[in-house]
Amino acid sequence: MIDNPFALWVYLSQSPLLWLTTTLVVYAMTDAVSQASRRNPLANPVLHAMWVIGIFLWLTGTSYQTYFEGAQFVHFLLGPVTVALAVPLYENRNAVMAAIVPMLLALVVGSVTAIGSVVGLAKAFGLPDIVMLSMTPKSVTAPVAMGIAESIHADPSLAAVAVILTGIIGAIIVTPLMNLVKVTDFRARGFAVGLASHGIGTAQAFQINPVAGAFAGIAMSLNALLTSLLVPLAATLLFHG
């Protein structure tokens, strides 16, 4: 096998450990670049880890299914990490309770806007109904969005793509946008990015400020619940109303 490097690669490429290690190493490298840039939004580690791994898979002719067999452990950790957001929520409970009313109002407005904007733009550009339905849960975390897509007979894979793109775009533009509109309250900044950009936006918020991260986590969780109720209702009204 040592005399034949190609045979060695074929052997290693089938090992789940290789792809788990690749994912962790690439992310560690892109996160180091992000830290070196003082968390510049354009140096988002998720964004750059995606294209680096994507090019590597393309160059090696590796299928996504083979890659995911190793990377699925990281995917599994999404659940425990989401639950762990209860810790900063508890630590900031006084600030949360003090802002509960505007938070709930922002939640309803933001969730309806996220869904309504997809429907409106899809109708305006004449996109197929299946595409529109798949993209409506774009602002919630991927497992929830895929579950919603399945429940309304849409495409879970397309929903996941929309979720990832939404999260990355939100994480990139949130800081410049909030600075532009002069929103300085980290509670508002965090809640906005968590509501619009789910886990990726929440991770960005935690990197900037712990209070922003806590409120982003709250928004992400509450929006997942509200969106799971509103999207099926919207689908029913649009196609069966």
Side-chain angles (χ1 to χ4, degrees):
M1 184 175 295
I2 295 178
D3 294 334
N4 188 343
F6 180 74
L8 177 60
W9 166 251
V10 171
Y11 171 76
L12 290 176
S13 66
Q14 301 304 312
S15 171
L17 183 60
L18 171 67
W19 300 115
L20 175 60
T21 303
T22 299
T23 302
L24 297 178
V25 169
V26 170
Y27 183 82
M29 293 170 59
T30 55
D31 188 58
V33 172
S34 177
Q35 290 185 38
S37 69
R38 297 183 179 181
R39 297 301 182 187
N40 187 299
L42 294 177
N44 184 277
V46 176
L47 170 63
H48 295 292
M50 284 177 55
W51 70 259
V52 170
I53 292 176
I55 289 177
F56 184 61
L57 296 180
W58 176 65
L59 290 175
T60 59
T62 304
S63 68
Y64 176 77
Q65 289 76 15
T66 299
Y67 165 75
F68 190 71
E69 286 180 7
Q72 63 181 334
F73 179 72
V74 178
H75 179 77
F76 165 78
L77 290 177
L78 286 175
V81 167
T82 302
V83 175
L85 291 173
V87 175
L89 170 59
Y90 177 78
E91 292 175 344
N92 293 275
R93 61 192 180 280
N94 293 331
V96 171
M97 294 309 299
I100 191 67
V101 174
M103 279 171 51
L104 292 178
L105 290 174
L107 171 67
V108 173
V109 173
S111 186
V112 171
T113 300
I115 298 169
S117 62
V118 170
V119 173
L121 289 171
K123 292 285 188 182
F125 286 97
L127 296 180
D129 291 340
I130 187 69
V131 174
M132 179 182 68
L133 288 175
S134 300
M135 295 180 65
T136 49
K138 65 178 177 58
S139 289
V140 299
T141 190
V144 176
M146 295 174 72
I148 294 173
E150 289 180 353
S151 71
I152 58 176
H153 307 292
D155 186 343
S157 299
L158 182 56
V161 171
V163 166
I164 293 170
L165 291 176
T166 300
I168 290 175
I169 293 171
I172 290 174
I173 70 172
V174 60
T175 298
L177 179 61
M178 291 297 173
N179 291 340
L180 179 65
V181 298
K182 301 186 184 306
V183 175
T184 58
D185 190 328
F186 279 112
R187 297 175 301 173
R189 293 170 74 121
F191 197 85
V193 72
L195 194 156
S197 303
H198 49 83
I200 298 176
T202 299
Q204 177 75 7
F206 269 113
Q207 291 174 346
I208 296 173
N209 182 275
V211 173
F215 275 78
I218 296 167
M220 180 184 73
S221 303
L222 293 178
N223 191 39
L225 175 62
L226 185 57
T227 300
S228 65
L229 299 174
L230 292 180
V231 168
L233 177 61
T236 300
L237 293 175
L238 285 170
F239 299 105
H240 304 288

